Amino acid sequence: MRALCWQGTGKVDVETVPDPEIIDQRDAILRVTSTAICGSDLHLYDGYIPTMQKGDILGHEFMGEVVEVGREVKNLTQGDRVVSAFSISCGNCFHCRRELWALCENSNPNWRMLATMFGFPGAALFGYSHLYGGYAGGQAEYVRVPFADIGLLPVPEDLDDEKVLFLSDVFPTGYMAAENCGIQSGDIVAIWGMGPVGQMAAVSALLLGADRVIAIDRFPERLRMAEEHSGAYAVNYEETDDLVEFLKELTGGRGPDSAIEAVGMEAHSTGPGGIYDRVKQTVRLETGRPTALRQAIQACRPGGTVSIPGVFGGVIDKMPMGAAFAKGLTFKMGQTHMPRYMRPLLDRIVQGQLDPSFIITHRLPLEQAPEAYKVFREKDDECIKVVLNPGP
Ligand code: NAD
Ligand code: ZN
Ligand code: ZN
């Protein structure tokens, strides 16, 4: 089959590789019909995630048709159309039984590496380094899905791929980020980063009762999308002298009720803080540039919540913990507990409350994935979300 393989920092290729096979009786094999490139893939592309190996197949946002199932997968049959969770959960361990699916203790065969880094084993992810299990991803013609009875959600035939594809990651991720804010009616939610996750967090905040969303980014097309689809008040931080003060001014001097950090460890920054982070990162004394997170903490109103879907790893510097403590902030974060959200959000799509496909700006065949990664990384051509089609 053809698959998109990581070759080294900044280099991916489409190659012919062996077809996947059932290895465990809870596996399923999918013929991938649509797959997307995610902001999280850029952390791999840019070389921030260790333990990638030449030839690893990327991709954790995918859907397709079931072509084969193991004997123990009782809820799916050949021909079912399904969307996959980006993470892999066993359904039986301590955390899975508590619906903390992202913390599954059984799916990652390389759990020791994660436990050494972070102190605990965590769920495996598709196409996301050997640290996260070394599973082949779904930017390919076919993919093996372990624990398929848990991670695959059947979708109705009458909904196009594009309407349901984002149940694989960014819709649940944006929704959980908004849910983590504990939104009350009338709340104002500020969101840093208007990529797909930020866009989904914005529409979800409205679904959960927020009065207004403030969208923060520097790319006009991303801000425009948030204005159009969430009625957001758009703030271009590059055109704002003091973002934290500006956000306070916008919210009666108090600050937004919740602050969502949908940027992660590669935040863009130009000021002295940004130079400091870059130097420390270069000499490996810091593993991320937490510009947006610092601002979120500083801007959030006393008693508010800072919700962090943006991915961080390792250690970051100069966290304004004094401000966080003095203001009695609540912090919520982490990888999305996918199976908790996929079905209820599919119901919302079926009921017509939302169509997440508005984030798609580029549609390309899998063979053009290397160009797609470049365009997506550089945000050329107003690129926000790329869908790849492996089919003929
Ligand atoms: P993306 O790269 O498309 O979007 C990030 C956005 O942040 C960009 O629009 C960028 O311009 C903006 N940005 C950069 N620096 C900023 C700053 N200082 N202030 C405000 N905005 C800034 O990525 P995405 O696909 O939307 O993902 C966003 C984050 O969510 C990434 O870190 C990704 O890894 C993470 N993520 C987490 C989960 C999870 O389970 N928690 C799942 C999916 C993605
Ligand atoms: Zn993703
Ligand atoms: Zn588990």
Side-chain angles (χ1 to χ4, degrees):
M1 67 165 184
R2 302 286 284 165
L4 196 265
C5 302
W6 187 88
Q7 302 296 355
T9 299
K11 186 156 176 25
V12 290
D13 272 340
V14 180
E15 291 188 347
T16 301
V17 300
D19 286 356
E21 290 172 4
I22 299 270
I23 295 175
D24 181 274
Q25 292 309 324
R26 285 179 71 190
D27 289 351
I29 305 292
L30 301 191
R31 181 179 64 80
V32 178
T33 52
S34 297
T35 173
I37 307 178
C38 178
S40 297
D41 291 325
L42 293 182
H43 308 322
L44 303 170
Y45 192 67
D46 291 338
Y48 286 103
I49 309 277
T51 73
M52 286 299 291
Q53 292 174 13
K54 205 168 173 338
D56 283 349
I57 301 173
L58 299 184
H60 59 268
E61 300 184 359
F62 58 88
M63 63 178 296
E65 185 194 325
V66 174
V67 291
E68 202 182 342
V69 285
R71 273 194 308 278
E72 287 169 40
V73 181
K74 309 280 188 214
N75 58 339
L76 297 169
T77 49
Q78 211 183 1
D80 283 351
R81 197 163 154 253
V82 290
V83 57
S84 174
F86 72 84
S87 50
I88 306 172
S89 313
C90 78
N92 296 325
C93 72
F94 175 91
H95 288 112
C96 284
R97 274 186 273 118
R98 283 160 183 74
E99 295 202 347
L100 297 167
W101 308 95
L103 305 174
C104 176
E105 297 164 352
N106 275 336
S107 60
N108 186 348
N110 301 329
W111 63 272
R112 260 179 222 285
M113 275 197 265
L114 255 194
T116 306
M117 277 178 84
F118 299 137
F120 78 104
L125 311 175
F126 287 98
Y128 216 78
S129 81
H130 292 262
L131 188 60
Y132 286 99
Y135 290 99
Q139 288 165 4
E141 287 184 286
Y142 295 90
V143 61
R144 175 174 82 96
V145 178
F147 302 121
D149 50 323
I150 303 290
L152 293 181
L153 177 72
V155 291
E157 282 303 324
D158 60 333
L159 290 179
D160 290 346
D161 273 24
E162 292 190 351
K163 274 198 171 165
V164 289
L165 174 61
F166 302 122
L167 289 169
S168 62
D169 183 351
V170 293
F171 187 18
T173 296
Y175 189 90
M176 186 171 109
E179 187 183 75
N180 275 344
C181 292
I183 292 171
Q184 300 188 353
S185 95
D187 274 5
I188 298 179
V189 179
I191 305 176
W192 277 253
M194 294 319 290
V197 171
Q199 302 287 344
M200 290 292 117
V203 290
S204 300
L206 297 181
L207 286 175
L208 290 166
D211 195 44
R212 196 78 204 258
V213 167
I214 302 174
I216 305 158
D217 208 300
R218 74 179 191 284
F219 291 98
E221 64 276 12
R222 292 178 178 229
L223 292 170
R224 264 197 320 270
M225 185 181 271
E227 283 173 330
E228 200 176 313
H229 292 274
S230 332
Y233 184 95
V235 178
N236 186 331
Y237 65 85
E238 279 197 318
E239 294 166 4
T240 312
D241 277 346
D242 184 337
L243 177 66
V244 172
E245 275 313 307
F246 184 63
L247 291 172
K248 285 188 183 158
E249 275 168 33
L250 277 181
T251 51
R254 233 186 250 127
D257 300 288
S258 342
I260 297 179
E261 202 285 10
V263 179
M265 61 184 148
E266 293 170 57
H268 164 259
S269 173
T270 46
I275 296 167
Y276 170 92
D277 287 329
R278 273 193 186 279
V279 171
K280 288 209 73 167
Q281 209 174 18
T282 308
V283 295
R284 297 191 184 277
L285 286 173
E286 191 177 20
T287 46
R289 303 189 296 272
T291 320
L293 180 55
R294 291 184 191 121
Q295 291 170 343
I297 293 170
Q298 282 154 346
C300 189
R301 79 151 159 78
T305 300
V306 176
S307 163
I308 313 168
V311 167
F312 288 88
V315 290
I316 47 175
D317 263 29
K318 294 207 182 300
M319 291 304 294
M321 278 312 285
F325 181 83
K327 292 199 282 186
L329 297 182
T330 299
F331 281 76
K332 292 267 215 166
M333 63 193 83
Q335 217 116 55
T336 311
H337 300 299
M338 290 296 293
R340 199 198 287 176
Y341 296 98
M342 291 168 77
R343 189 176 297 277
L345 294 181
L346 172 63
D347 290 344
R348 286 188 187 264
I349 295 172
V350 170
Q351 288 159 18
Q353 293 180 26
L354 185 94
D355 175 2
S357 64
F358 74 83
I359 58 175
I360 303 172
T361 52
H362 290 66
R363 297 166 174 88
L364 292 162
L366 178 69
E367 291 296 326
Q368 285 179 31
E371 294 92 287
Y373 265 80
K374 279 202 190 95
V375 170
F376 179 60
R377 185 186 183 287
E378 300 307 325
K379 300 181 174 63
D380 287 343
D381 195 23
E382 304 201 343
C383 184
I384 298 177
K385 191 74 174 174
V386 183
V387 173
L388 300 169
N389 296 106

